[in-house]
Amino acid sequence: MIDSSGMYDTADINYKALKAYVRNDTTSLKRLDNFIEEKKNNRPNWELWKSDIPLPQLNQLNVEEAYRFIFSIYGAPYYEAITISKKDTAFKLNYLFYEHKRDSSKFDKFKEFEKNITEENWNILTDKINNADFWNLEDDYDYRGKDGSDLTVIGYYKNEYIEKSHYVHRWNISTLSDASYFVYYKLLNKNERQN
């Protein structure tokens, strides 16, 4: 009934697990179990991104709050990492375009710069991130297609009482698209962007 209703995402891992359980499909349940184990081992939290990016982790930047947007084209070894941070009354943007081939530990940096952004732009960005419910989104989905692009957003926040971090990885369109478009097309001008 759910299959034919069109009202449920049948690519969702919860749906797949329930369907396999109802059908007593041991093979599919084992496949899901292997997928979950692989996810736990390969990327259990945002800190593992340190091995994929030639930049310091956000908690090493000595800032109060920061967001890193990582764009990649599926199947290509090219990445754009844009880090926006706040410390006191200073708001900065760091841009990095680099290549990282999966079979190599070598990074080739093609373009990198830093610039100041306004407090108004910082406020617009954080509003968009909060409207997307960033801090409560699931880290990852198991679904991805054969083409399209990847977006990963890593967030870090610290005050005198708490310190927290989170990452969200999505293939193609997501609730964070509004924030990522703002970063890419408003905070960067045409000459600064790679594309």
Side-chain angles (χ1 to χ4, degrees):
M1 194 169 106
I2 289 173
D3 273 343
S4 62
S5 72
M7 297 180 67
Y8 200 87
D9 183 0
T10 57
D12 181 79
I13 196 164
N14 297 318
Y15 173 84
K16 289 178 180 179
L18 182 60
K19 184 175 180 178
Y21 174 77
V22 167
R23 292 185 174 180
N24 200 20
D25 183 352
T26 308
T27 305
S28 293
L29 284 171
K30 283 182 181 174
R31 197 174 325 123
L32 285 169
D33 187 52
N34 290 337
F35 171 80
I36 291 166
E37 279 302 311
E38 181 184 333
K39 286 290 183 185
K40 283 196 311 193
N41 293 330
N42 288 343
R43 206 179 285 283
N45 58 50
W46 73 281
E47 289 177 350
L48 289 183
W49 280 97
K50 68 184 178 185
S51 63
D52 294 345
I53 305 167
L55 289 169
Q57 293 181 46
L58 298 182
N59 64 351
Q60 297 171 339
L61 296 178
N62 191 27
V63 295
E64 299 158 18
E65 191 172 358
Y67 298 94
R68 180 169 286 154
F69 292 78
I70 304 158
F71 303 95
S72 65
I73 303 298
Y74 182 69
Y78 299 100
Y79 302 86
E80 289 176 283
I82 304 165
T83 307
I84 298 98
S85 61
K86 173 188 186 256
K87 181 176 181 179
D88 299 323
T89 59
F91 307 91
K92 295 189 183 280
L93 179 147
N94 175 279
Y95 175 90
L96 173 64
F97 175 63
Y98 66 99
E99 177 183 22
H100 179 216
K101 294 181 179 163
R102 288 290 171 206
D103 57 352
S104 167
S105 60
K106 186 177 174 228
F107 293 96
D108 291 319
K109 293 183 181 183
F110 296 113
K111 186 181 202 178
E112 185 173 20
F113 63 86
E114 187 171 277
K115 70 177 188 176
N116 294 323
I117 63 169
T118 65
E119 183 176 5
E120 178 185 5
N121 280 335
W122 169 264
N123 291 335
I124 291 170
L125 173 63
T126 53
D127 281 348
K128 290 178 182 300
I129 287 171
N130 291 331
N131 287 339
D133 199 23
F134 169 76
W135 294 100
N136 293 310
L137 290 174
E138 293 288 324
D139 296 341
D140 209 342
Y141 284 142
D142 61 321
Y143 173 74
R144 64 179 299 113
K146 297 290 185 195
D147 59 7
S149 56
D150 288 293
L151 169 66
T152 300
V153 181
I154 304 169
Y156 172 77
Y157 177 82
K158 181 181 182 180
N159 65 25
E160 60 183 305
Y161 304 108
I162 63 165
E163 182 176 15
K164 64 180 179 176
S165 57
H166 182 55
Y167 83 89
V168 174
H169 177 260
R170 295 291 186 266
W171 173 78
N172 226 338
I173 303 298
S174 81
T175 60
L176 287 163
S177 294
D178 197 27
S180 65
Y181 291 150
F182 180 76
V183 168
Y184 201 71
Y185 294 106
K186 297 295 183 185
L187 298 184
L188 293 172
N189 65 45
K190 188 176 181 181
N191 296 328
E192 292 171 331
R193 294 191 296 265
Q194 183 56 34
N195 295 333

